[in-house]
């Protein structure tokens, strides 16, 4: 029996039961519950990712799990400064390119990590300072983001720039000593180099409302008010044996500033509570509509930088741990909500008014879109600049659900598609057809999949049409 029939049956049974009981009907749950992390996350409009160490790509057990369970990858070390620019001005993209090729061959999106960080700098940069270092930093951002242009879903532009403890201040580093504006300069350089990538600030010890997360919150609020191009905040979430009760509230306050949030390096101390902590993080992300995905920092316990903490979701043998099941269940139980559009923020500086002193209004709770007619509908939101655009497309399944979908778009003359994510494009000019990829074709009634593409020229006025199979 195919998936669509199962869905129809389940809906009929649910409807009959609901009517008999005089209750409201819900259309989610069992029939659409995924059985892998990536399928379950994708059903809720999220990605589920893993950090990948390049040498593990030749380990069969590892790669089997990676491709079965994860639809996003990030280089554990291969895109860091010491790896990509070992000598000043001499770039090495071997490891990063290998990971991108793996991702593209397996329908996975790529997080870029990390353009500027006070650790894992090449020796030559560690010994630089002042304006020489500042220009080397900016050149690094520009060169690396340009090399990977169009291939990165989100970049950690700046990693770990805030101090631990109660100060809420920036961390001292050679980068910081080039001037307090180094972070915004890096974001502007990254936007100019790869306008299609979301640009994130990423840090740890930000797992609740505390002095450090508040320092970062204030920076993001300031950036948004001044038009500094920031799109997302990454919460590393290297966790111990418990989860702060305000973990979700902290994600939400950032989301309310108008940025996406992502769990970027999740791993949790093993022990009795590990499965609960993993589930708590997953639930928090599912409950925040702008939480676009979760990445675990590795695949199996023996791949983890935390060694004997056994901090991940799979045993070395490849077996799933209790924590795996708790994450999968939390994904499947999450509300079927639509994440924010994948358009980057403004590319031009905004008004120079000071940041608001009162918190911005809380976004209303997301609602499940009502099932439309059979088939599917598509809508597009466009972020344009002179000479180019990024289109974010939402596909909503009609009342019969979908086994697959196709979206056609007719581009204005002179425009062409240069890059596509979460769909496969046929053609690049005139009428371009986008088909689902393996993890986002099956949608229950009313469920939403998102994909995007980048183009040159103008995308003005494009109207998508959707057909379902
Ligand atoms: C770690 C890697 O996992 C290790 O292999 C490496 O030796 C050190 O860095 N925060 C980050 C990651 O942003 O880049 C770090 O990754 C873990 C902490």
């Amino acid at each position: 029996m195919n998936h669509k029939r199962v869905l129809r049956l389940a809906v009929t049974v649910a409807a009959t039961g609901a009517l008999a009981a005089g209750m409201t009907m819900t259309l989610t749950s069992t029939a659409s519950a995924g059985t892998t992390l990536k399928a379950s996350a994708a059903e809720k409009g999220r990605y589920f990712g893993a950090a990948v160490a390049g040498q593990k790509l030749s380990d069969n057990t590892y790669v089997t799990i990676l491709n079965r369970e994860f639809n996003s990858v990030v280089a554990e070390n291969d895109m860091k400064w010491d790896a990509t620019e070992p000598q000043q001005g001499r770039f090495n993209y071997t490891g990063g390119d290998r990971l991108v090729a793996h991702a593209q061959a397996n329908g996975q999106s790529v997080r870029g990590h990390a353009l500027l960080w006070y650790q894992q700098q090449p020796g030559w940069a560690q010994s630089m300072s002042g304006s020489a270092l500042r220009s080397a930093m900016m050149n690094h951002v520009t060169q690396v983001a340009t090399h990977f242009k169009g291939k990165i879903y989100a970049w950690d532009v700046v990693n770990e720039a805030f101090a631990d403890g109660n100060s809420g201040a920036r961390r001292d580093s050679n980068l910081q000593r080039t001037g307090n504006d180094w972070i915004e300069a890096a974001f502007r350089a990254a936007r100019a180099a790869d306008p299609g990538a979301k640009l994130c600030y990423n840090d740890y010890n930000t797992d609740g409302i505390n002095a450090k997360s508040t320092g970062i919150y204030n920076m993001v609020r300031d950036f948004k008010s001044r038009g500094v191009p920031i799109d997302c905040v990454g919460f590393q979430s290297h966790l111990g044996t418990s989860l702060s009760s305000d973990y979700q509230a902290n994600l939400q306050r950032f989301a309310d500033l108008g940025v996406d949030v992502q769990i970027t390096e999740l791993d949790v101390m093993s022990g009795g509570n590990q499965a609960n902590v993993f589930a708590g993080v997953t639930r928090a992300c599912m409950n925040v509509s702008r939480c676009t995905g979760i990445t675990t920092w590795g695949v199996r316990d023996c791949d983890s930088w935390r060694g004997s903490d056994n901090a991940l979701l799979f045993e070395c043998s490849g077996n799933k741990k209790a924590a795996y099941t708790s994450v999968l269940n939390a994904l499947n139980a999450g509300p079927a909500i639509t994440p924010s559009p994948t358009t980057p923020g403004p590319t031009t500086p905004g008004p120079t008014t000071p940041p608001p002193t009162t918190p911005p209004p809380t976004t209303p709770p997301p609602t499940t879109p009502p099932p439309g007619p059979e088939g599917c509908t598509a809508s597009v939101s466009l972020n344009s600049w002179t000479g180019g655009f990024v289109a974010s497309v939402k596909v909503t399944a009609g009342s019969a659900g979908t086994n697959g979908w196709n979206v056609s778009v007719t581009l204005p003359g002179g425009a062409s598609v240069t890059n596509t994510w979460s769909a496969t494009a046929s053609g690049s000019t005139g009428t371009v057809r986008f088909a689902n990829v393996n993890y986002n074709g099956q949608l229950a009634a009313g469920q939403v999949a998102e994909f995007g593409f980048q183009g040159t020229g103008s995308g003005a006025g494009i109207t998508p049409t959707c057909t379902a199979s």
Side-chain angles (χ1 to χ4, degrees), residues 98-115:
R98 179 178 49 198
L99 183 64
V100 169
H102 179 95
Q104 291 182 339
N106 293 284
Q108 292 154 327
S109 59
V110 182
R111 290 194 86 261
H113 175 83
L115 292 172

Side-chain angles (χ1 to χ4, degrees), residues 76-77 80 113 117 119-120 159-160 202 204 236 238 265 297 305:
E76 187 171 355
N77 290 299
K80 291 173 181 175
H113 175 83
W117 185 24
Q119 289 195 1
Q120 290 183 268
N159 195 33
E160 302 184 353
N202 191 52
Y204 68 98
Q236 293 186 10
H238 297 293
E265 303 185 14
W297 202 245
W305 72 309

Side-chain angles (χ1 to χ4, degrees), residues 67-276:
N67 292 347
R68 186 188 69 219
E69 300 286 344
F70 298 91
N71 58 7
S72 165
V73 292
V74 58
E76 187 171 355
N77 290 299
D78 284 340
M79 292 193 194
K80 291 173 181 175
W81 198 350
D82 58 351
T84 50
E85 196 180 0
Q87 294 165 278
Q88 188 172 13
R90 297 181 66 169
F91 292 85
N92 181 347
Y93 298 116
T94 314
D97 285 347
R98 179 178 49 198
L99 183 64
V100 169
H102 179 95
Q104 291 182 339
N106 293 284
Q108 292 154 327
S109 59
V110 182
R111 290 194 86 261
H113 175 83
L115 292 172
L116 292 178
W117 185 24
Y118 77 98
Q119 289 195 1
Q120 290 183 268
Q121 295 181 5
W124 62 264
Q126 291 176 35
S127 57
M128 281 177 94
S129 63
S131 59
L133 175 59
R134 173 64 74 92
S135 59
M137 289 157 61
M138 294 308 136
N139 185 52
H140 181 75
V141 170
T142 300
Q143 297 294 330
V144 176
T146 300
H147 175 80
F148 292 108
K149 177 180 172 172
K151 297 173 178 166
I152 303 293
Y153 161 73
W155 263 114
D156 291 332
V157 178
V158 169
N159 195 33
E160 302 184 353
F162 276 73
D164 293 316
N166 292 327
S167 71
R170 299 281 183 88
R171 167 194 298 284
D172 177 53
S173 71
N174 59 340
L175 310 175
Q176 181 63 31
R177 288 191 293 269
T178 68
N180 202 52
D181 64 344
W182 71 278
I183 298 183
E184 59 195 87
F187 275 83
R188 292 188 200 282
R191 176 71 92 228
D194 185 357
K198 290 186 188 236
L199 304 182
C200 303
Y201 176 82
N202 191 52
D203 216 325
Y204 68 98
N205 278 352
T206 51
D207 310 304
I209 296 176
N210 57 38
K212 184 173 180 179
S213 63
T214 299
I216 296 164
Y217 175 87
N218 290 336
M219 177 187 76
V220 174
R221 189 173 62 175
D222 170 52
F223 280 10
K224 292 299 284 183
S225 77
R226 291 189 295 113
V228 177
I230 185 168
D231 307 308
C232 38
V233 175
F235 298 80
Q236 293 186 10
S237 304
H238 297 293
L239 297 171
T241 52
S242 65
L243 186 66
S244 176
S245 60
D246 55 6
Y247 185 90
Q248 181 181 319
N250 188 48
L251 299 182
Q252 188 65 59
R253 72 171 174 156
F254 278 87
D256 290 344
L257 290 176
V259 288
D260 287 347
V261 295
Q262 300 167 359
I263 313 305
T264 51
E265 303 185 14
L266 180 61
D267 48 26
V268 180
M269 178 79 78
S270 63
N273 213 26
Q274 186 182 46
N276 291 334

Side-chain angles (χ1 to χ4, degrees), residues 50-51 56 59-63 65 70 296-305 307 310-319 321:
K56 302 271 167 144
D59 174 332
N60 279 336
T61 309
Y62 177 93
V63 172
I65 302 171
F70 298 91
T296 58
W297 202 245
V299 175
R300 301 164 302 183
D301 285 342
C302 53
D303 305 317
S304 169
W305 72 309
N310 293 327
L312 293 171
L313 300 177
F314 295 88
E315 292 173 359
C316 294
S317 62
N319 288 342
K321 294 168 60 180

